Amino acid sequence: KFFVYSFMPTQEANIVTDIQALDLNKSYTYADYLLWQFKERVELIRGRIFKMSPAPNTEHQRVSGRLYAKTFNYLEERQCEVFAAPFDVRLLLPSDQVTDHKIDTVVQPDICVVCDPQKLESRGCIGAPDWIIEILSKSTSHKDLNEKYDLYQSAGVMEYWIVHPAEGTIMTHTLQENGKYKRAENIYTHQDIISPVVFPDLQIELKWVFR
């Protein structure tokens, strides 16, 4: 079980309404994150601020919506739940203590599936989702392919998919017994039907996803 010692902003707290007031070279925690009330969406990765992309383009939203809908319908009678961004996921790395003042990583995956209800509370998820899908854009591709790949692997996310809407491809990564991802031997295209390892009977036709 996760026991979270919550920090909630008060009127006396140092609310930040302008991202320019933050030092982007400084390290922050989730307790700091709760005080940010500016319009920009950001993620924290090991204490570092990463700005998220502007509003996703139409193709991104189409692909995201189809993957979400397919997964939602599949999970409707199951314990697992699927969530779409914006949805805060506080990831715990091996040395982390489970308090808002210690957690320094909070991300907003495009789509994530959580099967342990004890990881869910009113502010999102705390701990690793079972399956995460990130949909690439020009401004986030480097982060999704590098920082988030390493992060999700370290945090114990069982399965990580990277979707490239412009190319119509999906790369899948599954966690092995050694705690490392096994990279997909193939890059899946619109001709393929693929299933997540965590839900082998969920079949997703990529010609429908990328149509």
Side-chain angles (χ1 to χ4, degrees), residues 9-18 34-38:
T10 66
Q11 290 183 348
E12 293 77 22
N14 188 22
I15 302 295
V16 179
T17 58
D18 186 349
L34 290 175
L35 300 174
W36 300 341
Q37 297 182 8
F38 38 74

Short mmCIF file of all heavy atoms in Angstrom, two decimals, residues 9-18 34-38:
data_model
loop_
_atom_site.label_atom_id
_atom_site.label_comp_id
_atom_site.label_asym_id
_atom_site.label_seq_id
_atom_site.Cartn_x
_atom_site.Cartn_y
_atom_site.Cartn_z
N PRO A 9 -1.91 23.36 -0.81
CA PRO A 9 -1.66 24.78 -0.73
C PRO A 9 -2.64 25.50 0.19
O PRO A 9 -3.80 25.16 0.26
CB PRO A 9 -1.83 25.24 -2.19
CG PRO A 9 -1.66 24.02 -3.01
CD PRO A 9 -2.18 22.90 -2.17
N THR A 10 -2.17 26.51 0.91
CA THR A 10 -3.02 27.37 1.72
C THR A 10 -2.90 28.78 1.19
O THR A 10 -2.11 29.08 0.30
CB THR A 10 -2.57 27.33 3.19
OG1 THR A 10 -1.26 27.91 3.28
CG2 THR A 10 -2.52 25.90 3.72
N GLN A 11 -3.70 29.68 1.74
CA GLN A 11 -3.64 31.07 1.29
C GLN A 11 -2.26 31.67 1.54
O GLN A 11 -1.83 32.57 0.83
CB GLN A 11 -4.71 31.89 2.02
CG GLN A 11 -6.13 31.55 1.58
CD GLN A 11 -7.15 32.43 2.25
OE1 GLN A 11 -6.85 33.13 3.22
NE2 GLN A 11 -8.37 32.41 1.74
N GLU A 12 -1.56 31.17 2.58
CA GLU A 12 -0.25 31.70 2.88
C GLU A 12 0.85 31.08 2.03
O GLU A 12 1.99 31.52 2.04
CB GLU A 12 0.07 31.46 4.37
CG GLU A 12 -0.80 32.25 5.34
CD GLU A 12 -2.20 31.65 5.49
OE1 GLU A 12 -2.35 30.46 5.20
OE2 GLU A 12 -3.12 32.38 5.88
N ALA A 13 0.51 30.01 1.32
CA ALA A 13 1.53 29.33 0.53
C ALA A 13 2.01 30.22 -0.61
O ALA A 13 1.33 31.14 -1.05
CB ALA A 13 0.96 28.02 -0.03
N ASN A 14 3.18 29.93 -1.10
CA ASN A 14 3.80 30.74 -2.14
C ASN A 14 3.30 30.29 -3.51
O ASN A 14 4.01 29.61 -4.26
CB ASN A 14 5.33 30.63 -2.05
CG ASN A 14 6.03 31.60 -2.98
OD1 ASN A 14 5.46 32.60 -3.39
ND2 ASN A 14 7.26 31.28 -3.32
N ILE A 15 2.06 30.66 -3.85
CA ILE A 15 1.47 30.31 -5.14
C ILE A 15 2.25 31.00 -6.26
O ILE A 15 2.58 32.18 -6.17
CB ILE A 15 -0.01 30.74 -5.19
CG1 ILE A 15 -0.81 30.07 -4.05
CG2 ILE A 15 -0.62 30.40 -6.54
CD1 ILE A 15 -0.90 28.58 -4.14
N VAL A 16 2.53 30.26 -7.33
CA VAL A 16 3.25 30.80 -8.48
C VAL A 16 2.28 30.87 -9.66
O VAL A 16 1.74 29.84 -10.09
CB VAL A 16 4.46 29.93 -8.84
CG1 VAL A 16 5.18 30.49 -10.07
CG2 VAL A 16 5.42 29.82 -7.66
N THR A 17 2.05 32.06 -10.18
CA THR A 17 1.11 32.24 -11.29
C THR A 17 1.80 32.55 -12.61
O THR A 17 1.14 32.67 -13.64
CB THR A 17 0.11 33.38 -10.96
OG1 THR A 17 0.85 34.57 -10.70
CG2 THR A 17 -0.72 33.01 -9.74
N ASP A 18 3.11 32.70 -12.60
CA ASP A 18 3.87 33.01 -13.81
C ASP A 18 5.09 32.10 -13.86
O ASP A 18 5.94 32.13 -12.96
CB ASP A 18 4.31 34.47 -13.80
CG ASP A 18 4.99 34.89 -15.10
OD1 ASP A 18 5.31 34.00 -15.93
OD2 ASP A 18 5.22 36.09 -15.29
N LEU A 34 2.45 21.54 -6.75
CA LEU A 34 1.08 21.83 -6.34
C LEU A 34 0.79 23.32 -6.21
O LEU A 34 -0.37 23.74 -6.20
CB LEU A 34 0.79 21.14 -5.00
CG LEU A 34 0.69 19.62 -5.03
CD1 LEU A 34 0.53 19.08 -3.62
CD2 LEU A 34 -0.45 19.15 -5.91
N LEU A 35 1.84 24.12 -6.13
CA LEU A 35 1.68 25.56 -5.96
C LEU A 35 1.67 26.32 -7.28
O LEU A 35 1.50 27.54 -7.30
CB LEU A 35 2.82 26.12 -5.08
CG LEU A 35 2.90 25.55 -3.66
CD1 LEU A 35 4.14 26.07 -2.97
CD2 LEU A 35 1.66 25.90 -2.86
N TRP A 36 1.88 25.62 -8.39
CA TRP A 36 1.98 26.29 -9.68
C TRP A 36 0.61 26.41 -10.32
O TRP A 36 -0.06 25.42 -10.59
CB TRP A 36 2.92 25.51 -10.60
CG TRP A 36 4.32 25.41 -10.04
CD1 TRP A 36 4.87 26.19 -9.06
CD2 TRP A 36 5.33 24.46 -10.41
NE1 TRP A 36 6.16 25.79 -8.80
CE2 TRP A 36 6.46 24.75 -9.61
CE3 TRP A 36 5.39 23.42 -11.33
CZ2 TRP A 36 7.64 24.01 -9.71
CZ3 TRP A 36 6.55 22.69 -11.43
CH2 TRP A 36 7.68 22.98 -10.64
N GLN A 37 0.21 27.65 -10.56
CA GLN A 37 -1.11 27.93 -11.13
C GLN A 37 -0.99 28.79 -12.38
O GLN A 37 -1.76 29.73 -12.58
CB GLN A 37 -2.00 28.60 -10.08
CG GLN A 37 -2.28 27.72 -8.87
CD GLN A 37 -3.20 28.35 -7.86
OE1 GLN A 37 -3.77 29.41 -8.10
NE2 GLN A 37 -3.36 27.71 -6.71
N PHE A 38 -0.02 28.48 -13.21
CA PHE A 38 0.12 29.18 -14.48
C PHE A 38 -0.50 28.35 -15.61
O PHE A 38 -0.82 27.17 -15.41
CB PHE A 38 1.59 29.51 -14.79
CG PHE A 38 2.57 28.45 -14.39
CD1 PHE A 38 2.69 27.27 -15.12
CD2 PHE A 38 3.37 28.61 -13.27
CE1 PHE A 38 3.60 26.29 -14.76
CE2 PHE A 38 4.29 27.63 -12.90
CZ PHE A 38 4.40 26.47 -13.64
#
